[in-house]
Amino acid sequence: MERSFIARNPSVLVFLAILALFTLVVTVFAEGFGVGLISTSFVKTLGKTLCLCLIAVAMDLIWGYAGILSLGHFAFFGLGGYMVGMWLMYERTKQIVESSLSEGILPPTPEEIEAAIGNQIFGVVGSNEFPVIWAFADSFVLQMAFVVLVPGLLALVFGWLAFRSRVTGVYLSILTQAMTLGLSLYLFQNASGLRGNNGLSGLQNLPGVTAPQSVVSLWFFWASALALGVGYLLVAWVVSGKFGSVIRGIRDNEARVRFLGYSVESYKLAVFTLTACIAGIAGALYYPQAGIINPAEVAPIASIYLAVWVAIGGRGRLYGAVIGTAFVSLVSSWFTGGQAPNVNLGFYTIKWVDWWLILLGLSFVLVTLYAPKGMGGLVDLITRKKGSDI
Amino acid sequence: MSTLLEVSGVSVSFDGFRAINNLSFQIGDAELRAVIGPNGAGKTTFMDIVTGKTKPDEGHIIWGSMSRSLIGMSEAKIARAGIGRKFQKPTVFEEQTVQENLLMALRKDRGPLAVLFFKPSKPDLERVAELAEEIGLTDALMRVSGELSHGQKQWLEIGMLLAQEPRLLLVDEPAAGMTPAEREKTTAILVEAAKTRAVVVVEHDMEFVRRLNCKVTVLHEGAVLAEGTLDHVTKNQDVIDVYLGR
Ligand SMILES: Nc1ncnc2c1ncn2[C@@H]1O[C@H](COP(=O)(O)OP(=O)(O)OP(=O)(O)O)[C@@H](O)[C@H]1O
Ligand SMILES: [Mg+2]
């Protein structure tokens, strides 16, 4: 008989245990409640990394399992960030405005408060009117729903058009890049209603919360760890059963799956939309930790990096995507952040800020050519297991 | 015997080249039929048309007792309507186990949600075991199908077809690359399958066709050249000229 899903996939349990342990260790060593060996800014970096791991799990589902190389998932990630950012910025500005207006002699009218908030938020783009898309910015519940609904809906419409016309392979990748580019160009406009290239800022401040950042950072870190755990479990479950069989079949031989009677397009659309929703949630947790979101985050290159992380980690197995993303994104921010010591060769000084991208590109090529299993393949060496699993 | 599939006056051209030329073909409910013909005769293209992969330029394809037209239906829909197909090159999902391959093919709800929550029941697993028995892969159920021999892959694909429980089975060169013993077994599987459904077998090997012991349709340049028993068509001068005599 069939054993339970966890029993068939012990790696899921191992992953969750490691994630829980990691969360505990970081909490103990952080400034918020623990001994303070880990700085608050590094807690934020780790929390953001967990969010990137979550979108990588989604990327692995769509690319590694379903074989659709989407180069647009950071668009969904960014949209999730914008949705949460709108609420954060609105509520926070409202508090500031209310407290400053209350110093006047007469209590301010709701219209005055609204106008002042509009002025505060949209002054930078030469406006003080609330765009229509901010209509629900004061509703926490609705904006949280939008975190999933907006990326999901965009993915549904875009995917429906693309898959229905049987766009596949590299053409689909290009199309997703075009979508990302279109979105970021739109967001760059001042008239977009999302403050153009200024983006949304001050997102690290939670309205109505007086706790210091050292504590707030841990809240987000925990939320990110939880989201990654739940997301991992969900995706592992999705790929473990017959649904996983079908999408892997689509990856390996789409036509054959069709002749078995499966509507390939519906499956692709379902996976595309589900992963877009996961990406939206990851983004919604990421940007409050980053503090700011602007259109540059949605630039096409970001989605390409995502594919590189997953490839280096080893696609087609979820922990590979997580390992690759955690490793490469952390190392990447170390090198590009100027922390890596330059290497003086006497005749030439290697500046990592410049050379890192080349190193990354080179490792991508090498992994693709010589180690298609990526870093996740190293786990096989330890467990001596053959073939792919979750 | 009632007609299950009726193809009439079908033509299709690729860049001006007429691969199928005013082809008409009929098959009954529980019939075994061999289709032979020289390379490029249009045998595979004929299957492409019936299964919805290629859209014909003209003609009709009528299916089943309800006389539905298959033209314009998607591949998946045609498959769900009861037409299964085996490709010329064995195409199984190599990275998955024999059991996973068979489970995927099993006749069940094909919708994404139903599949997501699908858990193989005891009868499902029994059916899979039964199919594995039929195609001689009982011991290989848990093996990754990429590891199977060429002949075993062919059988697995036939097993997947049977799992679909189609009313019409289109089988393209099932015996290609098989050893004589494997061929014999393949014949047995196909003859058995044709007892309960229609089976169309495309094959070059005359010995194999003889053993199928059924009506034969000879295709040439996209049209039917002759039809009848094997002895009848092999005596046909046209058939000898274009096919056998070479
Ligand atoms: N998609 C296509 N585009 C262009 N030409 C095609 C296409 N499919 C088939 N043809 C041509 O149509 C003709 C019939 O091909 P088909 O594959 O149906 O032959 P066949 O009878 O199956 O031959 P074989 O015995 O070699 O398998 C061939 O000349 C082939 O080159
Ligand atoms: Mg052929």
Side-chain angles (χ1 to χ4, degrees), chain B residues 38-45 47 85 88 172-173 202 204:
Chain B
N39 292 110
K43 303 180 297 290
T44 302
T45 309
M47 292 195 173
R85 173 176 190 183
Q88 197 160 345
D172 206 349
E173 301 200 22
V202 164
H204 275 299

Side-chain angles (χ1 to χ4, degrees), chain A residues 1-5 8 166 237-238 240-264 266-267 270 386 388, chain B residues 51 53 74-76 79-80 83-85 87 91 93 95-96 99-100 103-106 108-112 115-122 125 157 160-161 164:
Chain A
M1 273 311 288
E2 286 280 300
R3 290 168 301 151
S4 82
F5 152 67
R8 277 179 292 134
R166 300 225 173 147
W237 175 72
V238 166
S240 73
K242 189 168 163 190
F243 192 92
S245 267
V246 174
I247 60 174
R248 279 184 289 155
I250 291 173
R251 172 191 70 193
D252 296 337
N253 192 342
E254 192 175 312
R256 186 75 183 87
V257 178
R258 265 197 200 105
F259 288 116
L260 279 176
Y262 291 95
S263 158
V264 167
S266 317
Y267 281 81
K386 267 189 162 173
S388 68
Chain B
T51 54
K53 189 180 177 201
S74 73
E75 295 101 311
R80 288 199 295 270
I83 300 183
R85 173 176 190 183
F87 288 82
T91 42
F93 300 106
E95 288 199 4
Q96 307 197 37
Q99 175 167 280
E100 281 171 321
L103 274 175
M104 222 192 298
L106 220 53
K108 291 269 154 188
D109 192 338
R110 254 61 165 146
V115 168
L116 187 59
F117 291 101
F118 172 83
K119 255 181 131 46
S121 65
K122 209 153 174 263
L125 292 173
E157 200 178 354
M160 288 166 73
L161 278 185
Q164 274 176 267

Side-chain angles (χ1 to χ4, degrees), chain A residues 44-58:
Chain A
K44 289 186 178 181
T45 302
L46 292 175
K48 285 190 291 181
T49 305
L50 293 178
C51 298
L52 296 178
C53 291
L54 178 57
I55 189 180
V57 167

Side-chain angles (χ1 to χ4, degrees), chain A residues 139-213:
Chain A
S139 162
F140 175 75
V141 175
L142 278 180
Q143 286 300 137
M144 288 305 120
F146 289 162
V147 162
V148 183
L149 293 181
V150 169
L153 203 66
L154 175 64
L156 196 67
V157 172
F158 177 89
W160 186 72
L161 291 170
F163 297 132
R164 190 189 53 142
S165 323
R166 300 225 173 147
V167 181
T168 53
V170 69
Y171 299 100
L172 188 95
S173 306
I174 293 169
L175 215 57
T176 54
Q177 277 273 283
M179 176 195 76
T180 323
L181 184 62
L183 182 70
S184 88
L185 289 180
Y186 168 74
L187 289 172
F188 264 118
Q189 292 182 320
N190 284 347
S192 70
L194 291 164
R195 301 188 359 132
N197 64 350
N198 305 289
L200 308 180
S201 53
L203 309 184
Q204 71 278 23
N205 303 307
L206 295 183
V209 168
T210 48
Q213 280 295 310

